[in-house]
Structures are given as structure tokens and as C-alpha cells.
Amino acid sequence: MSRERPRRAVLPPVQENIEKLEKVINDGNFYGAQQMYKSISARYVAVQRFSEALDILHSGACIQLKNNQVTCGAELAVLFVETLVKAKIPYDDETLDRIRKIFELFPRIPVPHKLEDDDSMHELTEALGTAKTSVEGCSSFLKAAIKWSMEFGAPKTGSPEIHVMLAEYMYSESPELDMTRVSYHFVRGNNPPKFASILVNFMGKCYPGEDDLAIARAILMYLSMGNLKDANYLMDEVKKEVESKQLDLGESDLIQFITYLLQTLLRDALPLFNMLRANYKSCIDREPGFNELLDDIAEKFFGVRRRNPLQGMFGELFKMM
């Protein structure tokens, strides 16, 4: 006598689960709701009902973030992207909009500027800790989304729109600003005007001598990807904004080098390129990674082969991504 196979439990309509979970959130039980979002979505994934699982995870990430539960919201956001991968969902405008909706709910943390007493110092410490948690959570989510996009139909460097989201959030919210990472994502994005504005904004609050480094780094990163058009646009736009805001960019040796380099790359002039590197060696050496980027540029524009394509700063950033 053959034994009957146990019947799978019938899953209720997804909206019923979403409404039930939202009630748990509204009652203030954020941790309990989190465990339920994870377990219930996993049941839908197990029977390959990916669309419903995605609806649950998206709803959960959004409502947790709306309630300032950043750690919970970020975890569900990452699970949402992991489910996109399991379901082999293609990169398209509809899914990009869903990712953008989650991203826009990550909090912007106001940091107190006046430290008048112990209370304000405590507020500052608390705000910085919250901002760090938010940046880590948002970065994990968007980096996972970039990786998904690379696999399922975006350009080979990942979704330009998601790169811009990550760059903007890192710049505006990171307690310890890293302009190298911000620039890394902007040059893979599709918004050079925004990048120019952020560079000019950075000039107004950075330490002396960091402004020309940031601009040169951005230009060299664009060029290392073979993107002469956006490199020229960025340089022109920065100069316009600096002039309109009556800031002092100055003509440092590094800015002179970048200006001459952009002109050199418009023609087949490898000897002139090498001469520029030799003549401006001292300012190029202010940041060791610049030589690695220039090696990439020599390969892209003049066919000069590198000995190790993943060496140096840029290679390390690439491997981290």
C-alpha cells in the first residue's frame, strides 16, 4: 500500500500577509515583524512564488525604514535583492523603481553643528553612530543591487542609476567621508552635472590641498575607463560652478597637468603624454593611486599594455566591488 505524499500547506494571498505584517509593525513589534517577514517570504521562495516573496520583502523594507528601523529595513532590502537573483529577474525600469523607492526611505541624519554643552556632545555622538549604521545598511543594499544589475542586463559596470544613488548617499551621510569611493561610483553613474556640483561643494569644506586632488582623481577615473567625453564635461562644469560661486580653484600644478592631459588625449600623442607624466611627476605623486590610473589611461588611449591589470588602488577598489 503506497503512502500518500504530504500535501504542501496552501499559502494565503500575498496581500493578506502584507496587511497582517503591517499590523504587527503598527503595534510597535518591529523585531517580531522582522522574523515574520523573513520566514513568510521564505515559504513563497521555497515554492518558487517569487513575485509574492518580492512583494512581501519590498513592503517590509519600506515600512521598517519608514519607522526608522534602519537595521531591519536594510536586512529586508538585501533579502529583496537576493530574491531578485534567485528569481532571475531582469534589470528593467520597473525593478529599478522598486529599488529607488527603498533607497529613498533610508534616513538623512541631521548632525548638530553647535557644541555648547555635554548634551549637544551626546547628541552629536548619537547622530554620528546613527549615520554610520544608515550608510552601512544602505551601502550593503545598493552594492548587492549593483551586483544583481551586472548579472541581469545592466551595463558591465552595473546600473548607472544605482551607482549615483550610492555615491550621493555616501557623500551626504557618511560620518567619515571617503571621496575616492564616492568618485568610484559617480564615474560609473550617469549624472556628471550632479558629480560636478558635489565636487564644488566638497571644495567648500575640505582641508587645503584636498580640492585639486578630488578634481584630478575624478577626471583620471573617468579617463581610466576611456570616458573622455564626461571627463571634459566634468572639468568644464566644475570651472563654471567655481566661477559662478566665486570660489578659488587656483591653477595648481595638478590642475595644470589635468588640463594639458585632456588636450593631449584628443590626439595620438604618446610621447607628449609621457613627457607630461615626467614633467609633473611631483604633483602626480601626491596620491600614489594616480600613477595606476595613468597606466590605465595609457592602455586605453595609446595601447600601452600593463604588466598587471589589477594592481594598485583602482584594482583593489574593483576587487572590493
Side-chain angles (χ1 to χ4, degrees):
M1 182 175 174
S2 62
R3 297 177 61 187
E4 291 186 7
R5 291 183 180 178
R7 297 177 66 181
R8 288 182 177 176
V10 177
L11 295 172
V14 68
Q15 190 59 34
E16 187 177 311
N17 274 319
I18 289 174
E19 290 171 2
K20 178 177 72 173
L21 290 166
E22 286 183 357
K23 186 177 185 306
V24 178
I25 289 281
N26 292 332
D27 289 341
N29 187 2
F30 302 112
Y31 178 77
Q34 184 76 356
Q35 303 314 306
M36 293 170 70
Y37 275 115
K38 290 161 64 177
S39 62
I40 292 173
S41 63
R43 290 176 205 159
Y44 285 90
V45 169
V47 294
Q48 297 191 353
R49 288 169 62 177
F50 296 113
S51 177
E52 289 103 323
L54 288 167
D55 288 345
I56 290 169
L57 291 168
H58 190 270
S59 172
C62 289
I63 198 168
Q64 290 280 31
L65 290 169
K66 283 177 184 175
N67 283 276
N68 293 316
Q69 302 299 307
V70 175
T71 301
C72 290
E75 183 182 19
L76 293 177
V78 171
L79 282 173
F80 174 80
V81 176
E82 289 175 357
T83 306
L84 291 176
V85 174
K86 289 176 184 175
K88 296 182 170 60
I89 301 295
Y91 172 74
D92 58 21
D93 289 340
E94 181 182 350
T95 308
L96 181 60
D97 285 343
R98 301 186 83 180
I99 288 169
R100 184 180 289 107
K101 184 175 180 181
I102 296 174
F103 162 70
E104 288 173 349
L105 290 170
F106 275 90
R108 271 62 177 171
I109 310 299
V111 177
H113 295 291
K114 292 184 179 179
L115 302 178
E116 297 172 348
D117 51 29
D118 290 344
D119 286 344
S120 57
M121 178 61 76
H122 175 73
E123 285 178 21
L124 175 63
T125 303
E126 195 172 77
L128 292 175
T130 304
K132 183 178 179 182
T133 299
S134 297
V135 170
E136 288 173 352
C138 188
S139 296
S140 296
F141 162 54
L142 291 179
K143 285 178 181 178
I146 289 169
K147 189 175 179 182
W148 156 77
S149 73
M150 292 166 68
E151 189 174 351
F152 292 99
K156 65 179 181 179
T157 55
S159 164
E161 293 85 356
I162 302 176
H163 275 295
V164 171
M165 292 179 212
L166 181 52
E168 286 188 279
Y169 197 79
M170 291 172 70
Y171 180 77
S172 65
E173 301 303 315
S174 293
E176 298 174 355
L177 181 59
D178 185 342
M179 280 302 292
T180 300
R181 290 182 179 274
V182 170
S183 298
Y184 177 92
H185 291 289
F186 261 123
V187 299
R188 285 158 176 74
N190 57 357
N191 199 338
K194 182 68 178 179
F195 191 13
S197 294
I198 278 181
L199 284 171
V200 174
N201 178 270
F202 179 70
M203 287 173 60
K205 60 184 183 182
C206 66
Y207 291 111
E210 285 189 335
D211 49 1
D212 62 342
L213 280 174
I215 294 166
R217 185 189 303 116
I219 300 296
L220 292 175
M221 281 185 168
Y222 269 130
L223 295 174
S224 72
M225 298 176 68
N227 190 347
L228 181 58
K229 176 185 174 183
D230 284 341
N232 274 302
Y233 177 90
L234 187 73
M235 193 67 190
D236 292 341
E237 198 65 20
V238 166
K239 287 179 178 178
K240 286 179 191 173
E241 288 202 32
V242 164
E243 187 176 344
S244 68
K245 294 182 179 180
Q246 297 183 327
L247 297 173
D248 181 23
L249 175 58
E251 274 295 309
S252 70
D253 287 348
L254 191 55
I255 295 298
Q256 284 182 11
F257 168 70
I258 292 297
T259 301
Y260 292 144
L261 176 63
L262 289 170
Q263 295 169 3
T264 301
L265 296 179
L266 292 172
R267 47 189 171 155
D268 185 12
L270 178 59
L272 182 55
F273 173 82
N274 290 331
M275 186 180 76
L276 280 174
R277 288 189 72 170
N279 290 347
Y280 286 90
K281 184 178 184 304
S282 60
C283 68
I284 293 169
D285 288 346
R286 285 172 57 194
E287 185 164 313
F290 284 177
N291 279 299
E292 303 299 332
L293 292 170
L294 286 165
D295 286 345
D296 285 336
I297 293 165
E299 182 173 15
K300 282 281 191 309
F301 288 88
F302 303 115
V304 178
R305 295 293 300 274
R306 295 182 58 125
R307 281 177 288 182
N308 181 359
L310 283 180
Q311 69 187 25
M313 175 196 71
F314 210 52
E316 288 303 316
L317 281 172
F318 179 80
K319 284 187 281 185
M320 278 188 263
M321 281 296 296

